[in-house]
Amino acid sequence: MRKIYLEDTPLQDAQREFVEKITFDRKIERVRTTDALGRVTAEPVYAKVSMPNYHASAMDGVAVLAVKTHGADEKNPVRLQQGVDYAIVDTGDPIPSGFDAVIMIEHIHQVDEHTIEILEPVAPWQHIRPIGEDVVVGEMIVPAHHALRAVDLGALLAGGNVEVPVLRRPKVAIIPTGTELIEPSETVHNGEIIEFNGTVFASYLKEWGAEPIYFGIVKDEYAVIKQKVLEAARIADIVILNAGSSAGTEDYTVHVIGELGQVFTHGVATRPGKPSITGVVEGTPVIGVPGYPVSAYLSLEWFARPLVYHYYGLIEPKRAALPVKLGRRVVSDVGADDFVRMTIGYIHGAYVANPLTRAAGVTMSMVRADGMLRIPAGHMGYEQGEVVELELYRPKEQIDRTTVITGSHDLSVDVLHTLLRKEHPDRFLVSSHVGSMSGILAIQKGEAHAAGIHLFDEESGTYNVPYIEKHLKGHDVVLIQLVYREQGWILPKGNPLGIRCMEDLVKPHVTYINRQRGAGTRLLFDYLLKKEGLSREAVYGYDREAINHLSIAAAVAGGAADVGLGIYSAAQAMGLDFIPVAEERYDLLMTKRFYDSPEGQMLVHVIQSESFKTEMEALGGYSCRESGQIVFEN
């Protein structure tokens, strides 16, 4: 019988228990001081020489005996003779015997080649750096368990330490498991998944100061996994076992750790990341992290990062936090800490955050995230407009320089971002694909600088303007023509079902994939259905939604759908067939405040550029014949 057990241990309890039960056998090594940046000292380091190790001039000028300058003023200047009363010195020169002060060159009047005149006295040891002013022999330069900074290296070298004793970097074994996994490749067959978590883990561990050891992919075989864990536990300081941490038939992690050692926790009260495991094998801490990327990365940060800092005896640093206003409601189920990836925009003087997808397997949600919202267990979430605190994944300065575009998806927005960064490297652009209507509402609520929209109005036969007049009365907005694009049927190569028109979509065994509610493409499809007198119920797959055109194309390419309505460039990107249905206008709706701002004009300049036209029309299915023109202004 399969033994299944997943707990709901509070995250902080699981973290605390894990760290408290682990004792490391720390190794010491000596490294060249010049190569020691970021390394952690194993013991205090003391100065072997003084700096400076002689009395040195702190200024360019002349060395004198201070008593001979007493009484000097404008009415009674004092004259001094070279070789008798003074010696010429430069900054850093030793002070000659018999002198105890330095007069700056700016305060000297040269009477002749060997005679100078001064108008004010100097005090003993004025402008002289005494022996050991910076570092004194025997002085502690840095303590133990100190992460060495650039300035520390300078002080160490000044104190005569050409080598420094540091803690050897903790070795962390990474063992990815899964029969479906393959090494990174440009060719992936059905049923195969590229193993990329190992690279992400190794990169994080390097950032934290550890030395990753990649064991390579291990198939889902209990005996093999067991042997690899045992091997890793004997050579590494920490072992990371990726995937197999839940309670499936091939989820062996918890059983392997339990057989070889002791399991501390199996299951934490978090979303995502619940099936996390902590334990120990032969004295070596072992962490079982989930296979889904987002869950895996969070679990790694919750359990591996504290261990690395514990190994070094350092305080684990916290990310910067930022209070933001929620652009949308964020709900949570009671009973677990909820971690929600968010985008943040600085819009008209306020920081506004919106949630990304909460699926544990969507790696791009971590790529796009500006911050993370933690909803505590027992809290049901937050309402739109509430102010919450986010942990930042990007610098606040970058968020301040980011243009936020929401609304309908189009590749032109990605091209805009690339060209904007080329022309203005200090500017950024983020976009979220929520559909044209949601884009209009975001402008209405002050949650975006601009929105991509392509909403066809049946009554007028025009695009976008009727919707703006209806939903944005009293709002100062500007509608800019971005591109004309072809919408059409995205089909498998060769169009095996012979789909040519709307009537073909309601034939038996034809599976359609739709866009989300509020998307302009969906409104166009509904119009075409109505025009042909067809019902939504007759279209198999009408309620299945994709968030963008590339998702439509991916579904068709993967055999999950036979047809979808989308843009030509998406079909071309996936090597699919395309039958044009209509040319539509895809516009960029901006607040007037943003349009008039320097940042808005930067964007308009890019839209009107020859580079934008060249890149867009090269994609196929696009025309930039009126790009950058004002279509409507309110």
Side-chain angles (χ1 to χ4, degrees):
M1 181 181 291
R2 184 157 51 104
K3 182 180 179 183
I4 302 173
Y5 56 99
L6 281 174
E7 305 156 348
D8 273 314
T9 305
L11 178 59
Q12 289 180 323
D13 292 349
Q15 290 174 308
R16 183 177 59 255
E17 178 188 27
F18 192 33
V19 171
E20 287 176 351
K21 289 185 176 181
I22 299 303
T23 302
F24 287 110
D25 180 19
R26 301 179 176 94
K27 300 294 192 302
I28 299 175
E29 61 185 6
R30 299 189 70 84
V31 299
R32 291 181 60 83
T33 302
T34 51
D35 299 327
L37 183 66
R39 299 301 297 270
V40 178
T41 54
E43 55 194 43
V45 184
Y46 298 89
K48 297 178 179 178
V49 299
S50 295
M51 173 65 184
N53 63 350
Y54 59 88
H55 300 314
S57 175
M59 299 288 175
D60 296 334
V62 297
V64 299
L65 190 62
V67 69
K68 290 189 175 182
T69 68
H70 289 178
D73 59 28
E74 292 183 0
K75 293 182 179 180
N76 299 293
V78 172
R79 291 193 173 189
L80 303 172
Q81 295 295 315
Q82 185 176 3
V84 178
D85 303 313
Y86 75 89
I88 296 173
V89 291
D90 291 325
T91 302
D93 285 350
I95 300 300
S97 177
F99 299 112
D100 63 2
V102 171
I103 302 174
M104 296 171 61
I105 192 69
E106 295 91 331
H107 297 165
I108 293 170
H109 172 63
Q110 194 78 40
V111 177
D112 57 39
E113 188 176 352
H114 300 290
T115 307
I116 62 172
E117 189 175 76
I118 61 173
L119 302 179
E120 58 183 30
V122 292
W125 298 97
Q126 186 169 326
H127 301 318
I128 291 179
R129 297 185 66 207
I131 293 173
E133 179 190 56
D134 190 357
V135 179
V136 180
V137 171
E139 176 184 3
M140 186 174 71
I141 300 174
V142 290
H145 300 287
H146 175 78
L148 292 170
R149 306 163 298 169
V151 292
D152 299 326
L153 303 187
L156 287 166
L157 292 172
N161 292 281
V162 295
E163 288 187 339
V164 59
V166 297
L167 294 172
R168 188 206 67 194
R169 292 188 177 99
K171 296 180 179 179
V172 184
I174 300 170
I175 307 175
T177 68
T179 304
E180 74 284 5
L181 298 179
I182 63 170
E183 295 295 342
S185 170
E186 293 183 359
T187 304
V188 182
H189 300 293
N190 190 35
E192 295 179 338
I193 297 176
I194 291 173
E195 198 294 295
F196 55 84
N197 278 350
T199 297
V200 178
F201 293 173
S203 301
Y204 275 129
L205 290 162
K206 287 177 183 177
E207 282 185 11
W208 302 333
E211 178 186 334
I213 305 172
Y214 184 69
F215 268 62
I217 297 169
V218 178
K219 300 300 181 184
D220 286 322
E221 298 175 15
Y222 187 89
V224 178
I225 295 173
K226 176 182 170 182
Q227 180 58 38
K228 286 292 182 182
V229 170
L230 196 58
E231 179 186 340
R234 290 171 177 172
I235 67 171
D237 300 291
I238 304 169
V239 176
I240 308 293
L241 198 55
N242 183 210
S245 65
S246 191
T249 56
E250 293 187 339
D251 288 333
Y252 299 132
T253 298
V254 70
H255 309 299
V256 167
I257 298 173
E259 181 180 342
L260 296 176
Q262 180 184 359
V263 174
F264 299 150
T265 299
H266 182 205
V268 290
T270 63
R271 276 185 303 268
K274 176 181 172 63
S276 297
I277 303 170
T278 64
V280 64
V281 171
E282 295 198 352
T284 301
V286 181
I287 305 167
V289 301
Y292 279 136
V294 177
S295 295
Y297 306 159
L298 291 176
S299 181
L300 187 80
E301 182 166 315
W302 294 335
F303 297 107
R305 189 173 187 247
L307 274 192
V308 172
Y309 282 92
H310 174 53
Y311 173 93
Y312 282 127
L314 299 175
I315 296 174
E316 185 182 2
K318 291 184 177 181
R319 288 193 178 93
L322 182 70
V324 300
K325 182 178 75 172
L326 287 179
R328 293 203 294 275
R329 187 186 187 204
V330 182
V331 298
S332 177
D333 294 329
V334 175
D337 287 353
D338 221 338
F339 292 83
V340 186
R341 286 85 73 196
M342 310 283 286
T343 61
I344 309 171
Y346 186 63
I347 302 166
H348 309 322
Y351 291 99
V352 179
N354 285 290
L356 290 158
T357 176
R358 295 165 78 165
V362 182
T363 311
M364 287 303 295
S365 68
M366 292 294 284
V367 174
R368 295 190 175 112
D370 297 312
M372 183 76 78
L373 171 64
R374 181 174 185 168
I375 306 175
H379 200 296
M380 298 185 67
Y382 302 99
E383 295 297 326
Q384 178 182 350
E386 276 195 71
V387 175
V388 297
E389 191 171 82
L390 263 58
E391 186 179 73
L392 291 182
Y393 278 14
R394 300 190 202 277
K396 175 177 169 292
E397 292 75 16
Q398 180 175 331
I399 294 171
D400 291 344
R401 292 174 172 268
T402 298
T403 295
V404 178
I405 296 181
T406 188
S408 175
H409 166 254
D410 191 77
L411 297 177
S412 57
V413 177
D414 300 324
V415 173
L416 273 181
H417 187 197
T418 300
L419 295 177
L420 180 68
R421 292 299 311 282
K422 282 184 179 179
E423 194 168 325
H424 304 281
D426 62 337
R427 295 297 307 175
F428 302 86
L429 186 151
V430 297
S431 60
S432 57
H433 311 142
V434 295
S436 294
M437 278 305 304
S438 293
I440 286 179
L441 295 177
I443 294 295
Q444 182 190 78
K445 297 172 185 175
E447 297 170 4
H449 296 110
I453 60 174
H454 62 111
L455 294 166
F456 179 72
D457 179 61
E458 293 182 30
E459 291 184 11
S460 65
T462 61
Y463 274 89
N464 300 326
V465 174
Y467 291 88
I468 296 172
E469 291 176 332
K470 178 180 178 181
H471 296 284
L472 293 174
K473 287 182 179 178
H475 291 265
D476 294 330
V477 295
V478 178
L479 187 66
I480 299 293
Q481 165 62 33
L482 192 55
V483 291
Y484 286 95
R485 65 183 191 179
E486 286 185 349
Q487 285 265 31
W489 306 125
I490 296 177
L491 303 158
K493 199 69 176 175
N495 191 9
L497 297 181
I499 295 171
R500 297 290 174 188
C501 59
M502 290 294 297
E503 287 81 0
D504 294 331
L505 270 61
V506 298
K507 289 181 178 179
H509 312 301
V510 173
T511 301
Y512 183 74
I513 183 165
N514 210 348
R515 287 294 305 279
Q516 75 271 36
R517 289 177 177 80
T521 301
R522 182 161 176 154
L523 291 177
L524 175 61
F525 184 64
D526 288 345
Y527 167 72
L528 295 173
L529 284 173
K530 182 179 178 181
K531 184 179 177 182
E532 297 298 326
L534 300 173
S535 70
R536 300 173 180 178
E537 291 75 17
V539 179
Y540 184 74
Y542 178 89
D543 292 324
R544 185 181 173 199
E545 300 179 346
I547 62 169
N548 58 45
H549 296 283
L550 289 173
S551 298
I552 294 282
V556 173
D562 299 310
V563 59
L565 185 61
I567 58 176
Y568 172 79
S569 57
Q572 186 184 51
M574 297 285 183
L576 301 170
D577 280 2
F578 181 83
I579 298 177
V581 170
E583 183 185 62
E584 65 176 9
R585 212 179 68 216
Y586 180 88
D587 296 336
L588 203 58
L589 176 66
M590 303 180 183
T591 65
K592 184 70 163 57
R593 180 174 175 179
F594 176 70
Y595 174 81
D596 289 334
S597 71
E599 294 76 21
Q601 287 303 301
M602 287 178 193
L603 201 60
V604 172
H605 180 263
V606 172
I607 294 169
Q608 295 172 340
S609 70
E610 193 64 30
S611 298
F612 179 72
K613 178 180 180 180
T614 300
E615 292 209 23
M616 287 309 305
E617 295 187 348
L619 293 173
Y622 286 101
S623 170
C624 296
R625 58 184 182 269
E626 296 174 357
S627 296
Q629 293 186 18
I630 294 178
V631 177
F632 176 84
E633 188 170 0
N634 189 19

